């Protein structure tokens, strides 16, 4: 399995777009829980969105993002990653003693 960076250009944030945002967030959360998406980030000016996708091929990435409720408002650009370093926050273990 490989990792892919998908950079989306966003356009036409009209009322129809905004109405689909909750459905998009639910889909992203589902894909993250399943391990298909590792990260999901939105630019402060809301013009770009990035996600890291676990997939076997670029075709698999396309199939994954095709299921996004907002895909009609997104122009994706896909790049296979050589590596993706991530800082993971660790929660301290609590003692029951």
């Amino acid at each position: 399995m490989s990792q892919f960076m998908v950079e989306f250009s966003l356009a036409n944030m009209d009322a129809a777009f905004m109405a689909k945002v909750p459905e998009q967030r639910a889909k992203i959360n589902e894909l993250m829980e399943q391990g298909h998406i590792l990260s999901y980030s939105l630019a402060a000016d809301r013009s770009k969105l990035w996600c890291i996708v676990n997939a076997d091929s670029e075709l698999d990435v396309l199939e994954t993002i095709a299921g996004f409720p907002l895909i009609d408002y997104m122009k994706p650009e896909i790049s296979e990653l050589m590596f993706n370093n991530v800082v993971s926050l660790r929660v301290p273990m609590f003692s029951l003693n």
Side-chain angles (χ1 to χ4, degrees):
M1 185 151 305
S2 298
Q3 293 181 350
F4 296 82
M5 167 70 79
V6 185
E7 179 177 357
F8 297 96
S9 297
L10 302 176
N12 299 329
M13 289 191 190
D14 57 11
F17 176 99
M18 296 308 288
K20 291 185 176 188
V21 168
E23 189 179 346
Q24 174 78 10
R25 292 184 60 92
K27 182 66 174 179
I28 294 301
N29 289 340
E30 173 189 325
L31 291 168
M32 290 182 92
E33 288 173 10
Q34 295 171 353
H36 296 294
I37 292 182
L38 301 179
S39 68
Y40 186 75
S41 304
L42 178 64
D45 67 2
R46 298 180 181 172
S47 65
K48 297 232 183 242
L49 192 146
W50 300 270
C51 66
I52 304 292
V53 180
N54 270 332
D56 291 324
S57 67
E58 190 170 328
L59 180 59
D60 289 341
V61 174
L62 288 169
E63 289 175 358
T64 297
I65 66 176
F68 288 3
L70 291 174
I71 194 62
D72 292 338
Y73 299 89
M74 302 171 145
K75 181 182 174 191
E77 188 174 318
I78 301 169
S79 302
E80 186 172 6
L81 300 176
M82 178 64 69
F83 62 87
N84 177 33
N85 291 342
V86 179
V87 174
S88 88
L89 302 176
R90 295 186 181 185
V91 178
M93 297 293 290
F94 291 99
S95 173
L96 297 177
N97 293 333

